[in-house]
Structures are given as structure tokens and as C-alpha cells.
């Protein structure tokens, strides 16, 4: 009874704190309330699962968590299900506590929860909340100063799975690390059998690819490689190879959308996804696979895909002072390289790089990212953020002419300057790191 009373008091505290934050306009409120609630009652999250009537879904991985969980949530909501979801991507314990604290009420329940979780915090989350499904997108090098090598990140996720043996796993078969997470009684795999391009941008990348060894220590080889380590791998020594996919797909990548043909249980389904790039086709495939597992049908899923809008810097579209603007988060070599392949070289480009804790202090990833894709830009590129000078140097070594590199460290001034220099119908592309994206979202940029 005492714990229940403390839980209800936490809900009241959360709503009061959030009201104060919004009144003072001091924060977006994505984590602060959760931090206060967990400080007051550390076991808060252990009470939250009973407010979910159907299934609890978690999504983790290095790239694509926010888009994949956003797609899943939108598909469920479009199918008239109530969903609690950390929409803005605050994915550590404080962010998860935040979204529950602000949305739960003593007698209010949701059909589903869709929670994006930071890889390193998944184990801690499962200490308090069990989950029915875990979707794993991929594992790429990301913030080595925080996570260390990929094996460390993989162990975070494996340890979390071991704490939740009843989990149903939705795994990316094309990633040789993710495919080893099959550690529960139920797991399904998704992946692409073939990828073709009918678009203006390049499908190839100059970014260095990881070399992965099989458990027998032999280096894996590939019959097909889509990007980074994603593809059809096999071990020439022991015979280990990519798992057979339960959701086997083919993708056709267009300039602004993708077509995905998914075969499941002998039936092929055709989907159109209004998101740019192969990396987003992977995100959509993961979300569709999970949706089929939940019993949704093709029509329900496609209806949601048609109305889905990217938010919070994941191929987010805005209008800034009359100019169509595309905002694409970049934060590690593989993710950045895939985004850079899709950049409109005729647009006005701003690259805003910070090195705050949430970005990772180590910005050496800039040198492993394929900025060579930008060497034929039409307009000068503006670099901004705390590491604007480092970004400018990287562009110089990528082959961008010096006269086409401008430095404006203040992000707001950089954006205002860029749109001021644009011609009437010219588009703008903004490539920010994580905290630069947070800064942009707080700016009162005129439409």
C-alpha cells in the first residue's frame, strides 16, 4: 500500500513539475521530469507494466531506434490502439520514466507500450519492466568514449535478453552481430535478399567497413553487402552463415521513397515507404515484421505508412522562411555515410557538429564518414557548432574546395545566414549531431 501511494504521488509530482517547466519554458521536458520522479521513487518503473493491457515492445540498436519505434507506434495508433511511446527519443531510464509519469493515471490503461531504449540502458530497464517483444535494428560503431567496442555494446543487449527469457525477438538477419542474439525460445529474422536503386544518388560509399570474425575466429565473407556489415555473410571455415529470414524482402530505393516486397509464410506483400534511403527501408522492414507478429494486416500497415511523418531530425521535413528544409541527424560513421549518399547536392547545406556528452566527446568518427560525397556541391557548405572548425577541415580533406566552406559557429546564426543566401526555390539540408539537433528544435525559426 505504501509503495502504491508513493507511485501515485510520483504521478502527481511529475505533472506538477512538467507544468512548471512549460510555464517557465526552460526545457522540452523529455527527461527532467523522469529524473525527478526516479530520484523521489527509484522503483517507479516497476509499477508501470500493469498499465499496459496488451503487449510491451522495446526497440534498441545503434541506428534507427527512433524511426523504427515511431513507425511501430504510428501503425498501432492508426489501427485504433492506444499507445504510450517515448516519441522524442529520450531513451535512457530518465526518458522512459518521463513518458510514463506524464501519461499514466491511476485508472487509465494503454493497449501497448513502444519504448525506444539506449543499448547500454536496456538491461537496467528490464530490471524494472519486462517486455513482450524486442526489436533490434543494427550494431555500428557509435560513441566509443561511451560504449567502447562493438562487442561491449553487443554484451549489453545480450545481458538484457538473458534477464527477460520470455522475450520474443525481432532480429536483423543481415547484421552478423544482431543475428547472434537468438537466445530465447522465440525469435524471427528480417532481412533483404536484394536491393536495387532507381534514384539520383550513389549507392556506393567510401566509408570503411567493419571486418567481423565468426565465433570460430575466421573472418566472415560476403556474397552480397548492402552497406557497412549489412548483407549476406558466411564463414568459409565452419559454414556459419546468415540465418534464413522469416520476413524476406526486396527493396527498390527511389529518391524520396522505397518499395519493399516482403515474403512471409509463402505470401508476398508490397509496401511503399515514404522515407529516403536504404537505412530507412531497414527501419520500415523491422516495423512491418513486428506489426505482422502482432496480427495486423497489410492494409492496416500501409495506411499507417502513407500517413507517417518523420520527426526530430530523422529525415524531418520543415519549412524555414519559405524554404523546404530536410533535417538529418548524423552521429556515427555508418549512419552519417548512409545519410550523405542521399544529400541533395544542389541544396544549401549546413553541418552542425557538437561534442557534448550526449554527442560523444570523441569526434574522430568524422574522418570515417563519407563526406567525400559532398565534394561536388553546388553552393558553399556552412559548418557550425562547437566543432565547426574540425568539420571544415574534414570537408577540405574530403575534396570540397576551400572557397565552398564557410564557418559560422553559432547554429542559429548559421541557419539564418543560409536561408538568407538561398534563392527563392532553393532547398536547405541540415545535418546536425544530437545536441545540435536539440538546439535547432528550441530555435524559433520562422516558417
Amino acid at each position: 500500500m505504501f509503495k502504491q501511494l508513493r507511485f501515485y504521488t510520483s504521478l502527481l509530482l511529475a505533472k506538477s513539475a512538467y507544468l512548471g517547466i512549460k510555464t517557465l519554458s526552460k526545457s522540452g521536458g523529455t527527461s527532467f521530469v523522469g529524473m525527478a520522479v526516479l530520484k523521489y521513487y527509484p522503483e517507479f518503473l516497476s509499477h508501470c507494466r500493469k498499465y499496459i493491457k496488451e503487449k510491451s515492445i522495446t526497440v534498441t540498436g545503434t541506428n534507427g531506434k527512433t524511426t523504427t519505434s515511431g513507425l511501430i507506434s504510428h501503425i498501432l495508433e492508426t489501427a485504433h490502439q492506444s499507445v504510450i511511446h517515448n516519441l522524442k527519443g529520450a531513451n535512457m531510464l530518465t526518458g522512459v520514466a518521463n513518458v510514463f509519469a506524464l501519461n499514466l493515471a491511476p485508472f487509465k490503461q494503454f493497449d501497448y507500450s513502444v519504448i525506444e531504449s539506449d543499448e547500454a540502458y536496456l538491461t537496467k530497464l528490464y530490471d524494472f519492466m519486462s517486455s513482450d517483444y524486442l526489436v533490434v535494428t543494427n550494431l555500428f560503431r557509435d560513441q566509443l568514449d561511451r560504449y567502447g567496442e562493438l562487442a561491449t555494446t553487443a554484451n549489453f543487449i545480450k545481458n538484457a535478453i538473458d534477464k527477460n527469457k520470455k522475450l520474443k525477438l525481432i532480429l536483423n538477419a543481415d547484421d552478423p552481430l544482431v543475428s547472434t542474439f537468438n537466445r530465447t525460445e522465440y525469435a524471427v529474422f528480417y532481412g533483404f535478399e536484394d536491393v536495387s536503386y532507381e534514384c539520383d544518388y550513389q549507392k556506393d560509399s567510401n566509408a570503411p567497413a567493419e571486418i567481423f570474425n565468426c565465433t570460430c575466429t575466421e573472418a566472415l565473407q560476403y556474397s552480397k553487402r548492402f552497406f557497412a556489415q549489412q548483407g549476406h555473410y558466411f564463414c568459409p571455415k565452419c559454414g556459419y552463415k546468415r540465418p534464413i529470414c522469416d520476413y524476406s524482402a526486396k527493396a527498390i530505393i527511389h529518391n524520396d521513397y522505397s518499395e519493399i516486397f516482403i515474403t512471409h509464410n509463402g505470401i508476398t506483400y508490397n509496401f511503399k515507404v515514404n522515407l529516403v534511403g536504404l537505412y530507412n527501408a531497414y527501419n520500415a522492414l523491422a516495423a512491418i515484421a513486428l506489426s505482422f507478429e502482432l496480427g495486423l494486416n497489410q492494409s492496416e500497415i500501409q495506411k499507417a505508412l502513407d500517413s507517417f511523418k518523420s520527426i526530430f531530425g530523422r529525415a524531418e521535413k520543415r519549412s524555414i522562411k519559405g524554404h523546404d528544409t530536410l533535417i538529418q541527424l548524423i552521429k556515427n560513421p555508418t549512419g552519417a555515410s548512409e545519410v550523405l549518399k542521399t544529400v541533395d547536392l544542389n541544396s544549401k547545406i549546413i553541418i552542425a557538429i557538437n561534442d557534448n556528452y550526449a554527442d560523444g566527446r570523441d569526434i574522430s568518427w568524422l574522418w570515417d564518414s563519407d563526406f567525400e560525397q559532398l565534394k561536388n556541391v553546388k553552393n558553399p557548405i556552412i559548418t557550425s557548432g562547437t566543432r565547426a572548425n574540425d568539420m571544415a577541415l574534414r570537408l577540405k580533406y574530403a575534396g570540397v574546395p576551400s572557397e565552398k566552406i564557410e564557418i559560422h559557429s553559432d547554429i542559429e546564426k548559421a541557419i539564418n545566414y543560409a536561408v538568407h543566401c538561398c534563392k527563392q526555390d532553393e532547398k536547405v539540408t541540415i545535418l546536425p549531431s544530437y545536441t545540435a539537433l536539440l538546439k535547432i528544435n528550441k530555435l524559433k525559426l520562422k516558417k
Side-chain angles (χ1 to χ4, degrees), residues 10-64:
S10 298
L11 296 180
L12 182 61
L13 172 66
K15 290 170 175 55
S16 300
Y18 184 71
L19 181 61
I21 289 171
K22 298 308 289 184
T23 301
L24 296 172
S25 298
K26 292 294 184 182
S27 166
T30 60
S31 292
F32 178 80
V33 171
M35 182 169 48
V37 165
L38 291 179
K39 185 76 171 177
Y40 172 74
Y41 186 32
E43 296 181 27
F44 173 81
L45 286 170
S46 63
H47 293 266
C48 295
R49 178 63 180 86
K50 65 183 179 181
Y51 288 88
I52 308 302
K53 291 187 291 185
E54 296 295 333
K55 303 297 182 183
S56 174
I57 300 155
T58 42
V59 180
T60 197
T62 309
N63 287 71

Side-chain angles (χ1 to χ4, degrees), residues 363 366-367 383 386-395 407:
I363 62 159
L366 296 176
W367 295 90
T383 66
T386 58
R387 302 307 284 263
N389 290 316
D390 299 82
M391 188 65 249
L393 180 65
R394 175 67 185 96
L395 290 176
I407 300 172

Side-chain angles (χ1 to χ4, degrees), residues 118-130:
D118 179 277
E119 308 93 281
Y121 280 82
L122 187 63
T123 302
K124 296 179 182 178
L125 177 62
Y126 285 172
D127 283 339
F128 296 102
M129 298 180 68
S130 62

Side-chain angles (χ1 to χ4, degrees), residues 5-233:
L5 179 61
R6 198 162 188 187
F7 175 72
Y8 290 150
T9 305
S10 298
L11 296 180
L12 182 61
L13 172 66
K15 290 170 175 55
S16 300
Y18 184 71
L19 181 61
I21 289 171
K22 298 308 289 184
T23 301
L24 296 172
S25 298
K26 292 294 184 182
S27 166
T30 60
S31 292
F32 178 80
V33 171
M35 182 169 48
V37 165
L38 291 179
K39 185 76 171 177
Y40 172 74
Y41 186 32
E43 296 181 27
F44 173 81
L45 286 170
S46 63
H47 293 266
C48 295
R49 178 63 180 86
K50 65 183 179 181
Y51 288 88
I52 308 302
K53 291 187 291 185
E54 296 295 333
K55 303 297 182 183
S56 174
I57 300 155
T58 42
V59 180
T60 197
T62 309
N63 287 71
K65 295 186 292 292
T66 301
T67 299
T68 302
S69 59
L71 281 165
I72 293 168
S73 179
H74 186 66
I75 290 168
L76 288 169
E77 289 175 336
T78 304
H80 309 294
Q81 303 297 305
S82 58
V83 181
I84 188 165
H85 167 49
N86 50 341
L87 176 68
K88 294 185 178 180
N91 56 29
M92 298 182 187
L93 282 190
T94 53
V96 176
N98 202 98
V99 73
F100 276 102
L102 294 179
N103 286 279
L104 293 184
F107 302 105
K108 179 182 179 182
Q109 286 189 309
F110 290 80
D111 294 313
Y112 291 88
S113 65
V114 179
I115 300 300
E116 169 193 338
S117 176
D118 179 277
E119 308 93 281
Y121 280 82
L122 187 63
T123 302
K124 296 179 182 178
L125 177 62
Y126 285 172
D127 283 339
F128 296 102
M129 298 180 68
S130 62
S131 187
D132 298 292
Y133 289 91
L134 172 64
V135 181
V136 187
T137 57
N138 49 58
L139 280 184
F140 303 133
R141 288 183 180 273
D142 185 35
Q143 297 189 32
L144 294 180
D145 53 339
R146 282 185 61 207
Y147 295 108
E149 291 296 330
L150 282 175
T152 303
T153 308
N155 284 331
F156 287 145
I157 299 175
K158 288 177 181 178
N159 291 338
I161 293 171
D162 289 342
K163 286 189 174 184
N164 204 346
K165 283 294 188 180
K166 293 183 179 180
L167 266 177
K168 294 182 176 180
L169 302 172
I170 315 295
L171 302 175
N172 181 358
D174 293 348
D175 189 308
L177 275 176
V178 174
S179 65
T180 66
F181 294 164
N182 183 6
R183 303 162 74 87
T184 62
E185 294 180 1
Y186 187 92
V188 296
F189 291 93
Y190 65 89
F192 285 107
E193 303 306 318
D194 194 27
V195 176
S196 60
Y197 291 81
E198 293 187 7
C199 55
D200 297 331
Y201 60 81
Q202 300 181 49
K203 67 177 182 179
D204 297 321
S205 173
N206 299 308
E210 294 285 343
I211 297 175
F212 284 87
N213 287 350
C214 180
T215 53
C216 74
T217 72
E218 188 75 9
L220 291 175
Q221 297 185 17
Y222 284 78
S223 58
K224 290 183 180 180
R225 198 162 192 159
F226 301 128
F227 69 89
Q229 74 265 25
Q230 311 279 304
H232 296 191
Y233 46 86

Side-chain angles (χ1 to χ4, degrees), residues 125 171 206 231 310 345 396 427:
L125 177 62
L171 302 175
N206 299 308
S310 295
L345 298 182
K396 178 180 177 181
K427 296 180 180 180

Side-chain angles (χ1 to χ4, degrees), residues 391-406:
M391 188 65 249
L393 180 65
R394 175 67 185 96
L395 290 176
K396 178 180 177 181
Y397 278 89
V400 179
S402 297
E403 64 270 19
K404 285 193 172 183
I405 303 171
E406 299 183 16

